[in-house]
Amino acid sequence: MRYADFSFKKVLSMTMVFMILIFATGITYGQKKDYLRGFSISYYFNTIENTLKTFAYKYEFSNYQGNSFTASVFDALGKDFSLNSDNSGKTAKSLPVLVYHGITANTDEFNISPDLFKEQMFALKEAGYETVKIDDVMAFFRGEKTLPEKSFLLTFDDGRRDSFYNADPILQTLNYTAVMFVITKESVSEANSRSSFYLSKWELERVAKNNNWEIESHGRNAHGFYPIDEKGNSGHFFSNKLWLKDKNRLETTEEFEDRITEDMIGAKEDLENSFRIHVTSFAFPFGEFGQEETNFNEANEIALRDSKSIYDFLYYQIRGENGFTRNYPTEDSFLIKRIKVETSWKGSDLVWLLNTSSDKSLSYIDNMDSDNGWLDPWGDSYMENENLVLKASPNTKGSFVFLNGTYLWSNYELEASVNFPKGSAVALIAQYKDEKNYSMCKFTYDHATLEEKIDGKQKILAITKKPFDLPRSEWGKIGAIVDGNTISCLWNSEEAIPKEEVNEILSHGGIGFTTWGEKFNESELRIKKIVASPIEL
Amino acid sequence: MKKKIFQEKETINNLSVKKTKNTHVWITFFLTIYFILLVKLTTIEAIINDKFFGIYSILITTYILSRFLFSYFHGTVPTDESYKPTVTFVVPAKNEEDNIAETIRRFSKVNYPREKIEVIAIDDGSTDGTLAEMYRIKKEIGNKFNVEIVHWDKNKGKREGMAEGVLRAKNEIVIFIDSDSFIDKDCVTHLVKYFVNPKVGAVCGHSDVYNKDTNLLTKMQTVRYYIAFKIYKSAESIFGTVTCCPGCCSAYRKEYVLEFLDKWRKQKFLGVRCTYGDDRSLTNFIIQKYETVYSEDAMAWTVVPEKFRQYMRQQQRWKKSWLRETFIASTFMWRKNPIAALSFYAYIFLAFISPIVFFRAMIWYPYITNSLPIVYLTGLFLMLFLHGLYYRASVGVRSWFLAIISFWFNTVILMWQLPWALITLRDTRWGTR
């Protein structure tokens, strides 16, 4: 290096500059590790990015609403979309709660793409839905406060970074709020604060100050699988007594209870001490609270009893179409069910679910010209030629549907026009609460029965033996009169089974239909009209 | 137009940049480096998620910061009063009636013994008054030293002109000066002082932009020229491996050039006769056996394109010659100083990868992940800002913002010329001057 000048002055000054730079960056970086607890420069990058995105999303949403390019540009520059266009003034009788897990480009069953999430939220906003905050939800379920008719609670499980950073600009745009259920082991304890998957404690401090977000508990260690027998099989935290390897035995009931209580209290303290917030709600990891397959039968009872004593409200999640999708302020309302939003749903699917689950008022007439919320826990059902069709599937002998949004119905007369080309029995469901609790009027070619199902146990309450001319090719009518907790069955508008008392928990409930056949994939029922009218007391 | 140029030429010596104390700017400069280092340290964590971008990011930062470091240590050699070799100015020209006279007049004003100077001006088939201008200036200064004029009716190309000059030269050192470049009076002294070392084959001077105040484009080029010489050539020069001694103002040892002259004249690449990038090509021949250095005290001013189209064509030509000569140089650079070689290959890698990184960061990645390229843009901005600050601090001109635009333009727009140059490498239509 003949042409380099390594004079003392140059080398010295460069060494000094070099030392100062290394020292300064080293100290700043060290600060980050030791004192700033997960200070994340990407938080600021993402914040800048999300601020810019909010402008773009406001433009997109305005465009989505059908505004012109110019109007959309103006909206992007500063429109506040919090003003709800729906001023019906009606109040909600029930509340739907949505749960998401992750928002990322790599989609699967639990991870939705940012674009689809945005589309779903746009569709909800456009349909007039607004989010509510957790305090309002509690007041609503305690009967202390009313909510606008089109309200919903938006929740995220696990405290994931992708959920927060991708959802935040959309929430900002639409003025929505969301609840983040945080796993404190992943986000609050120091050891894991460097994870790029979960929000760090440092980030959560900022989330806690963000008006669009609320933080609640998702357990401390409970979000995992633990050994439940000596063979090393593993199971969920709240459903099982764990295997204690050092003692070579399962936990005692006391140890089980101590463990789950400690976890729930610990998680609550982690959050309250770190972010100076009041934690009231707990989302069960994996949505399980001992109701699943277990090596300990009392788990469900104990888990619910203990969690109820620690938290005000408990959240779990439902999938499929087994029961009503909303929550009602009734005796059990500390336990909130959340709809797992499927990552295949379009915005219109989600709006349909929320619209059709809203409480239908009596009188109600359904001409079957569109699907007003018929859900099928088993078998198949579909709309065809302005008929609702129940069809046995290849692995069922029958089919079952109920109408979403009828949970609160009581004292009604119901009549349905049906055609029953194939199958051996057809039944009208009344007072449907869930798949384990309902009553029904059932007809076969030679008898009719009034049956109830309470906690899954089926019981025949009354029987009438006479031939019924099942409407194979023509249309017939089946019906029921529900009066308090009594019920009578109608065949072609004439009484087939006189008034009979059913279990008192069935004093209200929705409607549905079910069929059976002799063979798989055979039975078929078509319904073209139902009329439900209130009866005079 | 002609009149205006000559008025400006009167003030040419006042154009030399003043060095001013700019402590606060230098502090900002180092603060920016500090901030870059901090961002990079954080990026290292993200490498796990995005290896491709992470490695690129670290590599380009190391490359650029090392340029600043090396250039800081770039030194000069003392002037040896006893060493005064004879020099020949070679000026190939085509249609340069506006500037040629002044270019040659400058030779008569240099602080160098008159008897050791000769001038060879080649009129390469000009269709304007270039030849007449040459005779006019010969009449004016011909009494001081020998001015030889070569006239070709038909255009043969710059390379032939340069070669003709070398063949006719009687002196030890050949100094190529473009017909639109003007040298400082101390230029020769500072160029030849390096030849005292027999290993040195070529020395390139420092060129600034002459028409810098004409418009935004020339202002931008001014910044770019300054940094390209002061930082990038300096950094190469400390190892004696300057990869391009540009035709606007460079000195070659005639004896060494003659070794390669025939090969250089008849150079073919991919079966096509090379008609552009003559200077880079000649440097490449020299650098294989000898050292090439940069003399920052040997000042010259050159006229740069004033029209955008003209500028883009020039840049495209340079990119193509860069491609060709880099390919050739990559076959022997590994034999040079390891740091110089490493820098050389790293730069090739970065030049080819940057359009891909740009596309990925700005278009592809935002598209698939629905995110904005904030990290990439911040990194890009900080690097451009660093160059701007350097210019502001060392020149004292408040045009750091221009520097940023200039380097932004260079990074974001001209970057795409490289793939294009690769595709059109064999197309020589743009080869003529």
Side-chain angles (χ1 to χ4, degrees), chain A residues 27 52 93 102 117 130 142 148 157-158 175-176 180 266 273 317 334 338 430 432 450 453 475 481 484 488 535:
Chain A
I27 282 185
L52 297 175
K93 289 182 178 144
F117 176 74
E130 291 294 332
R142 287 172 180 148
D157 271 1
D158 307 343
N175 236 313
Y176 273 5
M180 182 63 91
N273 296 341
Q317 66 182 49
F334 66 91
R338 300 182 293 167
Y432 182 79
L450 170 63
K453 199 173 191 178
W475 291 88
I481 298 170
S488 53
I535 57 161

Side-chain angles (χ1 to χ4, degrees), chain B residues 347-382:
Chain B
Y347 183 70
I348 301 177
F349 175 73
L350 289 170
F352 278 103
I353 211 87
S354 55
I356 301 170
V357 171
F358 182 85
F359 177 78
R360 193 169 169 280
M362 297 293 291
I363 297 157
W364 174 242
Y365 218 60
Y367 178 73
I368 60 159
T369 64
N370 199 22
S371 59
L372 297 175
I374 302 287
V375 178
Y376 178 78
L377 287 175
T378 309
L380 186 63
F381 175 79
L382 283 174

Side-chain angles (χ1 to χ4, degrees), chain A residues 55-122:
Chain A
F55 289 107
Y57 288 169
K58 281 192 173 175
Y59 168 79
E60 274 182 53
F61 181 61
S62 184
N63 226 336
Y64 182 88
Q65 289 181 309
N67 291 328
S68 68
F69 169 76
T70 330
S72 299
V73 169
F74 276 106
D75 284 352
L77 293 174
K79 177 152 179 176
D80 182 0
F81 286 108
S82 65
L83 301 165
N84 196 339
S85 54
D86 182 39
N87 293 318
S88 64
K90 287 185 194 158
T91 56
K93 289 182 178 144
S94 57
L95 183 74
V97 183
L98 305 181
V99 57
Y100 290 89
H101 294 82
I103 305 177
T104 150
N106 303 322
T107 61
D108 59 22
E109 197 191 338
F110 289 102
N111 295 296
I112 193 167
S113 76
D115 277 343
L116 187 54
F117 176 74
K118 185 174 71 189
E119 208 250 318
Q120 290 180 347
M121 291 300 119
F122 279 12

